[in-house]
Amino acid sequence: MKRSSQLYPCALSACLVALLSAPSAARAGERLFPAYLGAALGLDAERNVPYVEGGGSRQQLDICFATKGKPRPLIVWIHGGGWRSGSKEQNPALFLVKEGYAVASINYRLTDKAAWPAQIEDCKAAIRYLRAHADRYRIDPDRIGVWGGSAGGHLAAMLGTTSDSNEFATASNVAESSAVQAVCDWFGPTNFCPEKPDGEALAVINPPARSGQEMVEELLGGSPSEKVDVARSASPVTFATADDPPFLIMHGADDRVVPVAHSRMLAKSLKDAGVSVKLKVVPEAGHAGREWVQRDLLDQVRSFFDRNLKG
């Protein structure tokens, strides 16, 4: 891939990254900006906001939002880490704050504490919480986009393909919808199914490395062949329907962790269902890394959200 010399984030985003990745706040929901600085920027930010009443430390989010003006579209970043690690504090979406968005980043329960579907249940609970508190954060509840990488891309795709389904509903903010209006999936796994519902064998796409297979088994609570129903319920390709939101899928051609065939399968499933989807295979790019913070790629993400959330 031809690499631009210009990288995000900008100075404002770099400041936000530093604030939101500082040592954890002593109390949940702590405001990060001094009053004078928040007023000057017209922004506020909170860290470690519980999105499940009585939930654990992994069921928290960070958010940066405007303090004045009309409600903004919201972008929710979902971190990767093989469902076993990672943190909301690494949030590449913060550059979108200067583009007129509110930006949140969520943690979710990891596989050392809970197997599937805890991860998607938490993601949906976070969306419902943010929609329930739209006035507080000055966000437009009808314009919510999600973006994630690797395991986070998988969860973003699951949010999109299950959209307003009650299949993974929990008891938090039950009056609210967990639907999202746009999905950006960066190199996420999309299919764990060992066979089709009619029993015909699928060409199962396993992670090439043994560590990747272990991550999948930790997520499902066993191998896909042992946990067929669970594997199907964790596979975005099995849920694609015509009412899914628009998708932007990006995958590195040289990805050695999640084969690019995963993204091709999801794109085909969405396209066959009549969903607006764009698949971009990035030449010479691997799984995460410096290639993924180049200006041209992030500009494509911004343009995608602008078209679908600001139109």
Side-chain angles (χ1 to χ4, degrees):
M1 180 181 71
K2 183 179 180 180
R3 299 184 182 182
S4 165
S5 62
Q6 293 182 302
L7 305 179
Y8 277 111
C10 67
L12 171 60
S13 293
C15 175
L16 295 173
V17 168
L19 285 167
L20 289 169
S21 60
S24 294
R27 64 182 187 278
E30 180 182 11
R31 279 187 159 77
L32 299 183
F33 291 116
Y36 72 90
L37 180 58
L41 295 174
L43 298 171
D44 205 343
E46 294 182 14
R47 185 174 56 208
N48 300 338
V49 179
Y51 59 78
V52 172
E53 187 174 354
S57 61
R58 289 293 308 182
Q59 294 168 308
Q60 296 180 353
L61 60 84
D62 299 338
I63 183 167
C64 184
F65 55 98
T67 58
K68 56 189 176 183
K70 65 181 182 180
R72 293 183 169 203
L74 169 69
I75 305 299
V76 179
W77 169 257
I78 307 174
H79 71 77
W83 311 280
R84 57 162 58 159
S85 64
S87 171
K88 60 182 171 55
E89 293 176 356
Q90 284 74 54
N91 180 3
L94 280 170
F95 79 94
L96 291 169
V97 171
K98 75 180 182 67
E99 304 293 341
Y101 292 90
V103 175
S105 178
I106 66 174
N107 277 345
Y108 50 87
R109 284 172 289 172
L110 302 174
T111 51
D112 63 338
K113 300 296 183 183
W116 188 263
Q119 294 72 30
I120 190 62
E121 288 174 348
D122 285 353
C123 291
K124 284 181 170 284
I127 298 296
R128 292 196 304 273
Y129 172 88
L130 289 163
R131 189 166 266 124
H133 294 82
D135 289 345
R136 172 181 177 179
Y137 296 120
R138 202 177 288 274
I139 58 179
D140 185 336
D142 297 323
R143 295 186 293 166
I144 297 178
V146 289
W147 177 15
S150 193
H154 162 255
L155 292 169
M158 282 294 301
L159 280 170
T161 55
T162 63
S163 201
D164 214 7
S165 167
N166 292 322
E167 181 161 351
F168 301 105
T170 55
S172 59
N173 295 295
V174 293
E176 301 296 336
S177 166
S178 61
V180 297
Q181 286 69 54
V183 176
C184 181
D185 165 16
W186 273 11
F187 43 85
T190 69
N191 188 8
F192 305 117
C193 299
E195 61 181 24
K196 293 180 180 178
D198 60 8
E200 180 185 349
L202 268 179
V204 181
I205 301 180
N206 287 320
R210 177 60 195 162
S211 60
Q213 295 174 28
E214 291 171 354
M215 290 178 192
V216 172
E217 291 175 2
E218 289 171 1
L219 176 71
L220 304 180
S223 70
S225 60
E226 295 169 334
K227 299 285 186 178
V228 176
D229 290 341
V230 179
R232 187 171 295 114
S233 78
S235 299
V237 295
T238 67
F239 294 98
T241 55
D243 58 353
D244 292 343
F247 270 69
L248 171 63
I249 304 172
M250 307 179 89
H251 210 119
D254 295 339
D255 195 322
R256 298 293 183 262
V257 178
V258 178
V260 69
H262 273 270
S263 285
R264 294 191 193 280
M265 270 203 292
L266 178 58
K268 183 179 186 304
S269 295
L270 292 165
K271 185 176 180 180
D272 289 348
V275 178
S276 173
V277 56
K278 178 180 180 180
L279 170 62
K280 179 176 179 60
V281 178
V282 183
E284 301 179 23
H287 193 78
R290 185 178 176 86
E291 295 89 349
W292 295 94
V293 293
Q294 301 300 314
R295 177 179 291 275
D296 59 342
L297 289 186
L298 294 179
D299 277 345
Q300 291 178 55
V301 174
R302 176 190 52 77
S303 295
F304 166 75
F305 284 129
D306 283 351
R307 284 194 306 273
N308 292 288
L309 299 180
K310 288 184 175 181

